[in-house]
């Protein structure tokens, strides 16, 4: 599970996987192709790499996602976020002048929340969804300017739900394997400008966990958590541009889309009470701008800013177990060339998330106030 990380970024997707993308807030991810982690951002980018290349990274994530109940007489959970480590590794290899192959092991999808002891701990106390992906990939150079790539992703998912049952913590968990696919195109528009586009299919896990809960003081009411909302990753498209101004400066940007509207209305349903079921999710959009500066042959300095739109139609009605909103990322970092064959880098990223309110269940309605996350990562690449 070391290779899985948890985040609320881009709903459940995130771009911080212990690589240089962290320092750029993901900017240029589908077109940059500077190390073997291009397997996860655009497999076609392997055609720009050396004959053999390894890239690995470690990261840590923490933040403050506070939930406060509207009813001040009840105990609120406070910060539901815990510090969490992560890791990733990638390897690419040149087969011949046109064909490249590689494999990646990483986690870039998940959700982890810990409410602790609070007024609604019979409904939910802890919920963890982690995913690890093994991604064998191939890339083919059609000509000197155009490459294509593809990945078949074997995704392992683990879901656990802990709640208070008659004074004792009761934990349910399950795991599942699911397949997804990624297609990529990389094109050199000019000698100094390249474009990349990547499509990733949706991932559906099938977990056998009972999401129903009852409260002694509400004998005729049964709550059902939206477990399905935590186990689906939507299809997404990412378009990126990278432009080398000169040998010292490069600028880059992204435009992305995620198909969250297909998942309908993730919310706590209440049996025995009238509960309106409208579609509360909408597609989300991502945009990012980044810059690289190379002051010397040894140093590469990175900075980026990104925006991801909320997946909710209204921030006044979000799911208790899926807190998210509009997100702004601010990131920076640097790479240092240790030898002609190896480099090491570090990065930090701050993510500010839009506040939101929870209406259902009404007995535990409240708000996520001024949430944020931060990431710190190191990465290493070696070519041979």
């Amino acid at each position: 599970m070391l290779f899985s990380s948890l985040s609320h970024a881009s709903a459940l997707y995130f771009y911080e996987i212990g690589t240089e993308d962290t320092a750029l807030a993901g900017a240029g991810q589908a077109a940059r192709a500077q190390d073997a982690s291009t397997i996860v951002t655009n497999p076609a980018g392997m055609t720009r790499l050396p004959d053999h290349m390894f890239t690995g990274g470690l990261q840590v994530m923490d933040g403050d996602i506070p939930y406060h109940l509207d009813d001040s007489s009840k105990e609120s959970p406070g910060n539901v976020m815990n510090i969490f480590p992560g890791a990733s590794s990638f390897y690419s290899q040149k087969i011949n002048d046109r064909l490249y192959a590689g494999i990646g092991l990483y986690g870039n999808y998940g959700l982890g929340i810990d409410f602790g002891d609070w007024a609604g701990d019979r409904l939910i106390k802890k919920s963890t969804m982690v995913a690890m992906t093994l991604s064998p990939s191939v890339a083919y150079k059609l000509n000197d300017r155009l490459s294509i790539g593809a990945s078949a992703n074997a995704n392992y998912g683990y879901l656990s739900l802990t709640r208070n049952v008659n004074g004792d913590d009761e934990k349910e968990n399950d795991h599942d394997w699911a397949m997804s696919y990624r297609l990529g195109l990389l094109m050199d528009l000019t000698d100094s400008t390249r474009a990349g586009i990547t499509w990733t299919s949706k991932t559906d896990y099938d977990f056998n966990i009972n999401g129903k809960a009852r409260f002694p003081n509400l004998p005729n009411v049964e709550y059902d958590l939206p477990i399905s909302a935590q186990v689906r990753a939507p299809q997404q498209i990412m378009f990126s541009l990278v432009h080398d101004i000169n040998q010292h400066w490069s600028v880059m940007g992204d435009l992305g889309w995620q198909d969250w509207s297909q998942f309908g209305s993730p919310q706590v349903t209440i049996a025995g009470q009238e509960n309106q079921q409208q579609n509360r999710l909408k597609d989300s959009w991502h945009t990012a701008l980044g810059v690289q500066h190379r002051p010397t042959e040894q140093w590469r300095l990175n900075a980026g800013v990104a925006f991801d739109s909320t997946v909710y139609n209204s921030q006044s009605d979000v799911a208790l177990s899926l807190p998210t909103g509009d997100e702004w990322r601010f990131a920076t970092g640097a790479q240092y060339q240790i030898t002609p064959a190896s480099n090491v880098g570090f990065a930090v990223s701050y993510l500010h998330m839009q506040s939101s309110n929870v209406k259902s269940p009404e007995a535990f309605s409240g708000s996520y106030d001024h949430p944020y996350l931060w990431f710190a990562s190191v990465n290493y690449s070696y070519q041979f």
Side-chain angles (χ1 to χ4, degrees):
M1 302 304 284
L2 177 65
F3 288 86
S4 299
S5 289
L6 311 179
S7 179
H8 306 77
S10 305
L12 307 184
Y13 273 119
F14 65 102
Y15 313 109
E16 293 81 4
I17 52 174
T19 65
E20 197 167 2
D21 286 296
T22 302
L24 289 160
Q29 58 184 282
R32 202 170 62 254
Q34 291 176 312
D35 59 45
S37 68
T38 189
I39 287 170
V40 70
T41 54
N42 187 349
M46 287 189 291
T47 60
R48 293 181 55 86
L49 301 182
D51 290 355
H52 307 268
M53 191 171 192
F54 167 82
T55 298
L58 298 171
Q59 75 175 58
V60 64
M61 180 186 69
D62 200 2
D64 188 22
I65 313 289
Y67 187 64
H68 299 287
L69 292 170
D70 293 335
D71 186 348
S72 59
S73 66
K74 297 178 180 179
E75 184 179 3
S76 294
N79 181 23
V80 302
M81 177 70 196
N82 289 326
I83 191 169
F84 201 87
S88 61
S89 62
F90 306 91
Y91 173 75
S92 69
Q93 178 176 323
K94 181 179 179 180
I95 306 300
N96 56 45
D97 288 343
R98 292 187 179 273
L99 182 64
Y100 292 71
I103 191 167
L105 183 63
Y106 60 92
N108 74 328
Y109 179 82
L111 176 70
I113 47 179
D114 184 355
F115 287 83
D117 297 319
W118 70 298
D121 58 11
R122 284 180 173 267
L123 180 65
I124 180 173
K125 197 166 184 178
K126 295 180 183 179
S127 176
T128 301
M129 164 63 189
V130 291
M132 178 180 69
T133 300
L134 182 66
S135 184
S137 307
V138 295
Y140 187 76
K141 185 184 293 186
L142 297 174
N143 53 53
D144 290 341
R145 290 193 176 274
L146 183 63
S147 298
I148 56 175
S151 301
N153 307 313
N155 304 278
Y156 173 81
Y158 171 84
L159 177 68
S160 71
L161 175 65
T162 302
R163 50 171 44 124
N164 174 9
V165 179
N166 299 323
D168 295 320
D169 285 355
E170 183 178 283
K171 181 178 180 179
E172 291 186 78
N173 59 73
D174 198 11
H175 61 90
D176 189 32
W177 288 89
M179 291 299 298
S180 64
Y181 306 93
R182 182 177 299 111
L183 300 176
L185 177 73
L186 185 65
M187 178 182 295
D188 290 342
L189 302 178
T190 68
D191 291 341
S192 58
T193 305
R194 59 187 177 275
I197 187 168
T198 306
W199 169 81
T200 303
S201 70
K202 72 174 181 177
T203 308
D204 279 322
Y205 296 99
D206 183 16
F207 295 112
N208 183 24
I209 286 184
N210 182 11
K212 299 184 184 300
R214 289 182 176 272
F215 288 79
N217 57 335
L218 299 170
N220 298 319
V221 177
E222 183 181 74
Y223 294 96
D224 192 3
L225 280 171
I227 299 298
S228 63
Q230 299 179 26
V231 298
R232 294 174 174 175
Q235 67 171 325
Q236 61 175 332
I237 296 173
M238 186 69 69
F239 173 74
S240 301
L241 283 172
V242 173
H243 176 66
D244 299 324
I245 299 173
N246 52 44
Q247 63 179 350
H248 296 295
W249 291 93
S250 298
V251 293
M252 56 206 69
D254 288 338
L255 181 62
W257 166 82
Q258 295 177 353
D259 189 17
W260 285 100
S261 62
Q262 65 179 306
F263 296 147
S265 179
Q267 58 187 321
V268 178
T269 57
I270 308 169
Q273 296 183 14
E274 185 177 346
N275 189 38
Q276 193 173 17
Q277 288 275 344
Q278 73 272 20
N279 190 331
R280 297 190 304 168
L281 295 186
K282 63 180 180 180
D283 295 346
S284 65
W285 294 88
H286 163 84
T287 185
L289 292 174
V291 60
Q292 282 190 340
H293 177 49
R294 296 171 290 276
T296 69
E297 292 184 358
Q298 284 75 38
W299 285 99
R300 185 164 68 226
L301 309 180
N302 299 302
V305 59
F307 173 77
D308 288 271
S309 66
T310 180
V311 302
Y312 288 107
N313 286 315
S314 171
Q315 288 304 114
S316 64
D317 187 20
V318 309
L320 175 68
S321 54
L322 187 61
T324 188
D326 288 343
E327 299 163 356
W328 283 95
R329 277 181 178 81
F330 304 92
T332 188
Q335 300 290 125
Y336 179 73
Q337 198 73 32
I338 305 171
T339 70
S342 64
N343 71 76
V344 64
F346 67 91
V348 292
S349 176
Y350 171 80
L351 186 153
H352 174 77
M353 193 185 305
Q354 184 181 10
S355 298
S356 57
N357 294 292
V358 175
K359 288 184 177 180
S360 176
E362 185 176 351
F364 306 110
S365 62
S367 60
Y368 287 100
D369 299 320
H370 309 293
Y372 68 86
L373 298 172
W374 61 261
F375 302 83
S377 67
V378 294
N379 59 81
Y380 175 79
S381 291
Y382 183 75
Q383 60 187 60
F384 52 97

